[in-house]
Amino acid sequence: MVNGQTGIVVGSANARIGLGAAVEVLRNGGSAMDAAIAAVRLVEDNLEDNGVGTGGIPNILGQVELDATVMDGRTLAAGSVGAIKGYPNPIDIARKVMEVTPHVMLVGEGAELFARKHGFQQAELLTDEARDSWKSRLDGLDAADGSVYEDQYQLFMGAVRDWQKMLHEEIYGTTNVIARDASGDIACAVSTSGWGFKWPGRLGDSPIIGAGNYADNRFGSAACTGRGEMAIRAASAYSVVSNMRHGMNLEEALRTSMTDLRHMVDPFAERSNVMNIVAMDREGNVLAASTSDESKYVFQTVEMDCYEEQPRLHVPLQTGQ
Ligand code: ASP
């Protein structure tokens, strides 16, 4: 006997275009993992979304580098790829890493080699729009040979000093999807192109299990978007699940993990530092929190014809905001 809400999917607002596909998988008796991945794949393929997959904002060299993770809450199996170039659906590669290797995480060239060996199709991920955006910010750079020049480092550090100005423009974006199937199994999938104009090889929270993604059937699941460095330092996704393990309800768990972020000393922090967490408890209840009072999340059950969008619980980074 499975308790609670089964057949449910929850995600960051940009996952809305994928929720219908995920719910269809669940209606047809598919697994939570199949459902979460079906949704994320559609976001990766959405050219309008410039924070995930094809169309993602490139790194400082003009290369689109993607990160993705999956975690299976029944087995605690996980797979991840980081800083992978040339493959439009890193979420499928992350799943393959989970299924056929003794590893959890492959990055860079090793991840690309793995993808090639397993027959994943390559594609050009840099759209004209993303190229223009890169050019307008970092004009005059010659990234033709893909090497990292000293002047680019200076430019990057300039961008870092300025990053808060770009934060609410196109610089960030990630998608999170958590699903619970008819057996009560929970799975979580996360995919991103990361911090726009990032340093090559920079990994955010999305490819790191415990930071941007965590799932455990016994307690629930959580996944993050926003400034990944914060979620890495606070192990935010795991922290929400751990809070539930220790008896907190979903809202308390989210509030506690969000307020933990206030303790970080961060010379790069600005008022616009942003963190969002979407979560599900072990019974399939869903909720999300954000440091912003504008952020939304979406969910859909197999009984619903369409997704519903809800405001996130607002937990500002500074008290008094
Ligand atoms: N968390 C992602 C990262 O830091 C970006 C995002 O969620 O917008 O790479």
Side-chain angles (χ1 to χ4, degrees):
M1 163 77 182
V2 179
N3 290 325
Q5 173 72 55
T6 56
I8 182 164
V9 198
V10 63
S12 49
N14 62 351
R16 64 171 76 81
I17 66 153
L19 289 204
V23 157
E24 212 36 50
V25 170
L26 295 176
R27 284 193 187 120
N28 292 327
S31 68
M33 181 62 75
D34 285 339
I37 286 182
V40 166
R41 202 183 292 124
L42 286 175
V43 187
E44 289 177 337
D45 291 343
N46 179 14
L47 298 185
E48 309 283 295
D49 193 318
N50 52 25
V52 185
T54 311
I57 296 292
N59 66 16
I60 197 165
L61 298 176
Q63 307 155 334
V64 182
E65 271 184 354
L66 303 178
D67 305 330
T69 32
V70 294
M71 185 156 184
D72 180 335
R74 184 177 66 82
T75 60
L76 305 189
S80 160
V81 288
I84 185 168
K85 298 195 283 278
Y87 289 89
N89 296 113
I91 200 68
D92 290 324
I93 307 171
R95 182 184 195 159
K96 200 60 149 180
V97 172
M98 175 181 79
E99 288 176 344
V100 307
T101 80
H103 308 307
V104 168
M105 190 172 196
L106 295 178
V107 301
E109 283 178 18
E112 288 153 20
L113 178 63
F114 174 82
R116 195 160 66 244
K117 291 280 178 210
H118 285 276
F120 287 96
Q121 289 304 307
Q122 289 179 263
E124 175 55 73
L125 307 182
L126 187 64
T127 58
D128 291 345
E129 194 197 334
R131 183 183 290 108
D132 290 348
S133 167
W134 171 71
K135 277 203 164 144
S136 69
R137 301 234 182 249
L138 306 167
D139 205 15
L141 294 180
D142 177 9
D145 69 0
S147 61
V148 177
Y149 299 107
E150 183 63 23
D151 57 344
Q152 287 170 319
Y153 184 72
Q154 296 308 333
L155 209 76
F156 175 75
M157 289 314 287
V160 165
R161 279 192 298 274
D162 248 13
W163 74 273
Q164 79 279 6
K165 290 191 195 133
M166 299 195 278
L167 190 58
H168 288 302
E169 298 174 35
E170 72 271 51
I171 196 163
Y172 271 129
T174 292
T175 198
N176 306 145
V177 178
I178 303 169
R180 187 170 192 242
D181 62 28
S183 310
D185 290 330
I186 296 174
C188 182
V190 177
S191 186
T192 191
S193 53
W195 188 344
F197 319 115
K198 64 193 171 186
W199 191 254
R202 176 265 183 189
L203 299 178
D205 57 322
S206 308
I208 300 176
I209 295 298
N213 178 343
Y214 204 77
D216 183 332
N217 275 7
R218 297 172 301 165
F219 314 115
S221 176
C224 305
T225 60
R227 186 159 173 237
E229 283 74 5
M230 293 200 289
I232 294 171
R233 292 168 66 188
S236 294
Y238 179 72
S239 141
V240 173
V241 174
S242 171
N243 289 340
M244 292 193 280
R245 172 183 200 146
H246 292 103
M248 291 186 200
N249 67 32
L250 193 51
E251 181 174 339
E252 291 165 341
L254 277 166
R255 274 192 194 283
T256 303
S257 296
M258 294 291 286
T259 49
D260 278 350
L261 302 171
R262 293 178 183 162
H263 297 278
M264 280 182 202
V265 176
D266 186 350
F268 297 106
E270 293 292 337
R271 279 172 55 81
S272 45
N273 246 3
V274 128
M275 180 50 52
N276 310 291
I277 311 180
V278 63
M280 178 186 284
D281 71 14
R282 66 180 173 194
E283 301 204 326
N285 300 302
V286 298
L287 192 64
S290 176
T291 53
S292 151
D293 59 2
E294 289 169 9
S295 185
K296 305 264 180 29
Y297 72 104
V298 289
F299 71 94
Q300 189 174 348
T301 68
V302 288
E303 293 87 25
M304 292 163 64
D305 292 332
C306 183
Y307 66 83
E308 190 173 311
E309 188 169 77
Q310 287 288 335
R312 293 179 187 241
L313 195 66
H314 181 213
V315 188
L317 258 188
Q318 272 101 34
T319 47
Q321 265 179 32

